[in-house]
Amino acid sequence: MNKALLVLLLTLPSCYAISGDGKSVFVFDPTDKHKKERIVYTCSYREPFTRQLKMHVFRGRAPYQYRLLGELPNGIEFDETGPTIRGKPMEVGIFDLTYIVRDSDGKTERQYIRIVVLGC
């Protein structure tokens, strides 16, 4: 198990890893009153961080609009044309976000994201 994933699981008590790709992991937190499955991205304080967000509306029609609700760590920005989150995180912590994709017919999909910024 890689070091970042081990630290991630230690910082998210009572979580079960569902799947991962080495850069992110899906988790379900049974203590979350909303019962949301989240994608968790880990990054390090003051280190470059970039993730392209991938999600589409089932049977949706272009063009799409992308929104990110919640507070990103200082130093990280959301580029809705990508859609990408990128930058150098300038604070350590756990940040919960909601990523929303809307198609031209008004159909929407949501994805819940947690960014965990690790210190040294």
Side-chain angles (χ1 to χ4, degrees):
M1 178 177 293
N2 80 28
K3 188 175 176 181
L5 182 57
L6 178 60
V7 170
L8 168 67
L9 293 176
L10 292 174
T11 61
L12 301 170
S14 303
C15 292
Y16 303 103
I18 297 170
S19 66
D21 64 5
K23 295 181 181 178
S24 63
V25 64
F26 289 90
V27 297
F28 173 73
D29 182 352
T31 64
D32 181 354
K33 65 181 178 180
H34 302 293
K35 306 296 183 214
K36 298 175 191 166
E37 181 180 297
R38 296 184 188 276
I39 295 177
V40 178
Y41 298 113
T42 59
C43 55
S44 297
Y45 177 68
R46 291 190 176 190
E47 294 294 323
F49 172 74
T50 302
R51 293 292 180 276
Q52 183 171 5
L53 303 179
K54 297 180 181 180
M55 183 176 65
H56 65 277
V57 177
F58 180 70
R59 294 187 182 167
R61 290 184 352 150
Y64 296 97
Q65 295 175 337
Y66 306 97
R67 291 183 60 204
L68 194 61
L69 303 177
E71 193 170 325
L72 285 164
N74 288 333
I76 300 289
E77 295 180 348
F78 175 62
D79 175 3
E80 60 190 42
T81 61
T84 305
I85 47 178
R86 68 168 59 96
K88 288 184 181 181
M90 302 306 285
E91 62 183 312
V92 174
I94 298 173
F95 304 85
D96 289 329
L97 308 160
T98 303
Y99 173 51
I100 301 170
V101 178
R102 176 182 224 146
D103 78 349
S104 62
D105 292 331
K107 293 184 215 169
T108 61
E109 293 289 336
R110 293 177 190 274
Q111 189 173 70
Y112 301 99
I113 297 172
R114 177 170 283 169
I115 297 176
V116 179
V117 182
L118 304 171
C120 9

